[in-house]
Amino acid sequence: MYGLRDILKYHRFVYILKFLLKRIMEKVLVCGGAGYIGSVLCGFLLDEGKQVTCLDNLTFGPQSLLHLADREGFRFMFGDVRDKSVLERVVKDQDVIIPLAAIVGAPQCNLNPVDAVLTNRDSVINLNSIRSSNQKFIYATTNSGYGTTSGETFCTEETPLNPISLYGRTKSDAEKAVLDSGKDVITLRLATVFGMSPRMRTDLLVNNFVMHAINEGYLVIYEGGFKRNYAHVTDISRCFAHCIEHFDAMKNRPYNVGLDEANLSKMELAEKIKEHVPKLDIISREVGSDVDRRNYIVSNARIAKEGFRCIFDLDFGIAEMIKGYGLMFGKEVARQ
Ligand SMILES: NC(=O)c1ccc[n+]([C@@H]2O[C@H](COP(=O)([O-])OP(=O)(O)OC[C@H]3O[C@@H](n4cnc5c(N)ncnc54)[C@H](O)[C@@H]3O)[C@@H](O)[C@H]2O)c1
């Protein structure tokens, strides 16, 4: 029979255990953690046993974080990354810093050019200057920095950057600044991300095509030969976790991150979606031009050498989104 004293002893033991565990669990700060990538990444890192602080100004509302609210080890801080005093407060005591907060995409940056520079470039430079040298810093930029190439030869990390949009320039400038800062850092040049997230982005190419395929039943493709590389949002989270674990071996270099078998043109992507939505009509018409006229294929060999590969393919992501959009738009999509 256990008495009150035993129960109290047990609770004190659990309390001390939790206290000690908290001290050894790595602490990760995710700026922009309520976003498309961040809201998946925060959950992934909690599953990995990290303590996660998410700093975000909730541009798109709090819904993307509600599923994490009562998770052990999760802390949310409302704040703006453009405010240096906010960064100073939150950066202390962190082991790992992942700056994701940004005005994302060429159209959004063109609408708010001053904010784009302050958020995408200056806040990252500030964060890097404030942090101590032994905090791991993993910066996510975009492989859109490769700009428009012939689309025939693979861009490696040695290929000169040639960003053709303000968005691409702010991201490349921030990347260069942190790599040149003399502090240890890893930069990830992410492919166009796809897949479901609590903060769903339907503007991303794969996500957008799947949405139109199931809602309208047709896709009008312009610049159909333009190629890009893609990566699933869970693979991006896996990649950050890999970088945290192998930081010392990988530091001070940029890495392309994408799915090797997904260097596809827009037309090839549409045909891949048609395999899942057989009734889809694909119409090729030069009716527009991308604001961010990107055309490139990307080699992910460098990060593969460090032991990381994307594993969630386009078939997985398209099937997942057909179900996800079914929920979002209240459609019966099982028989598409
Ligand atoms: N999604 C992609 O395909 C992709 C590809 C390459 C690189 N990236 C990079 O990954 C990062 C995240 O992208 P995402 O797709 O999750 O975008 P997102 O727009 O969904 O997320 C950005 C988050 O940053 C927050 N934020 C914006 N301004 C802020 C500010 N001033 N203070 C605090 N928080 C602020 C927003 O509220 C949002 O939660 C960005 O840096 C982006 O450049 C994304």
Side-chain angles (χ1 to χ4, degrees):
M1 198 59 188
Y2 295 107
L4 184 61
R5 192 172 294 174
D6 296 312
I7 293 169
L8 286 176
K9 257 193 205 160
Y10 171 76
H11 279 289
R12 195 173 308 148
F13 171 73
V14 171
Y15 177 82
I16 292 170
L17 201 66
K18 276 190 175 172
F19 176 79
L20 290 175
L21 264 178
K22 273 194 178 162
R23 294 192 76 100
I24 53 168
M25 279 159 72
E26 243 173 338
K27 298 183 191 70
V28 185
L29 169 66
V30 184
C31 300
Y36 173 71
I37 294 175
S39 55
V40 175
L41 175 64
C42 287
F44 190 92
L45 293 175
L46 288 167
D47 291 343
E48 293 268 298
K50 316 278 186 214
Q51 286 188 61
V52 177
T53 300
C54 165
L55 169 69
D56 204 293
N57 67 357
L58 299 181
T59 314
F60 307 101
Q63 289 81 357
S64 60
L65 294 176
L66 295 183
H67 66 299
L68 302 176
D70 74 339
R71 289 281 304 266
E72 186 81 33
F74 181 70
R75 182 166 77 108
F76 173 72
M77 190 173 154
F78 181 84
D80 194 313
V81 293
R82 291 169 299 177
D83 183 341
K84 209 169 172 179
S85 66
V86 169
L87 299 180
E88 277 161 349
R89 239 182 307 139
V90 78
V91 86
K92 278 186 269 162
D93 306 327
Q94 302 293 337
D95 300 306
V96 183
I97 299 163
I98 300 179
L100 294 177
I103 311 274
V104 183
Q108 282 311 312
C109 288
N110 293 346
L111 283 175
N112 311 289
V114 176
D115 272 353
V117 173
L118 291 175
T119 313
N120 299 6
R121 189 193 65 190
D122 295 355
S123 79
V124 176
I125 294 173
N126 285 340
L127 197 51
N128 186 49
S129 71
I130 290 166
R131 59 125 179 172
S132 79
S133 307
N134 55 5
Q135 290 175 309
K136 298 174 185 172
F137 197 86
I138 307 170
Y139 174 62
T141 181
T142 157
N143 69 14
S144 72
Y146 294 124
T148 300
T149 69
S150 67
E152 298 299 322
T153 46
F154 283 92
C155 296
T156 71
E157 292 80 354
E158 306 306 324
T159 305
L161 293 176
N162 178 28
I164 46 181
S165 65
L166 174 63
Y167 171 60
R169 280 196 301 281
T170 56
K171 299 296 293 182
S172 301
D173 288 353
E175 182 192 48
K176 181 169 173 6
V178 296
L179 282 170
D180 290 349
S181 69
K183 285 180 168 173
D184 291 340
V185 59
I186 292 175
T187 68
L188 301 176
R189 296 179 179 169
L190 306 184
T192 301
V193 186
F194 65 91
M196 291 306 293
S197 159
R199 134 74 177 147
M200 194 54 193
R201 278 189 62 191
T202 56
D203 58 317
L204 294 164
L205 200 65
V206 184
N207 301 2
N208 187 270
F209 276 14
V210 175
M211 182 180 72
H212 285 291
I214 66 164
N215 278 347
E216 277 102 46
Y218 67 89
L219 286 174
V220 181
I221 308 283
Y222 54 86
E223 295 169 342
F226 277 28
K227 290 190 172 180
R228 290 196 200 171
N229 192 213
Y230 307 97
H232 190 272
V233 66
T234 302
D235 274 330
I236 301 303
S237 300
R238 289 179 54 245
C239 186
F240 278 109
H242 186 90
C243 293
I244 294 173
E245 200 178 331
H246 302 278
F247 189 83
D248 285 334
M250 293 177 68
K251 66 191 180 188
N252 300 329
R253 269 172 296 163
Y255 295 88
N256 294 333
V257 184
L259 193 59
D260 283 331
E261 59 273 26
N263 273 301
L264 297 186
S265 71
K266 284 191 201 176
M267 190 51 84
E268 288 165 335
L269 175 62
E271 275 153 13
K272 171 55 81 186
I273 293 169
K274 191 172 165 68
E275 290 172 19
H276 293 258
V277 187
K279 290 182 195 150
L280 177 64
D281 264 339
I282 302 172
I283 305 156
S284 181
R285 290 268 152 73
E286 291 310 315
V287 290
S289 172
D290 216 320
V291 195
D292 195 353
R293 300 188 84 243
R294 289 184 256 162
N295 185 25
Y296 46 71
I297 51 176
V298 178
S299 161
N300 301 297
R302 179 182 281 179
I303 199 148
K305 260 198 198 145
E306 298 299 330
F308 179 80
R309 285 198 108 82
C310 290
I311 53 174
F312 292 95
D313 62 13
L314 279 166
D315 288 313
F316 174 86
I318 293 166
E320 173 197 40
M321 280 188 281
I322 289 174
K323 287 187 194 147
Y325 285 139
L327 272 173
M328 276 172 71
F329 301 116
K331 279 187 184 248
E332 165 63 82
V333 288
R335 273 176 269 112
Q336 280 282 344

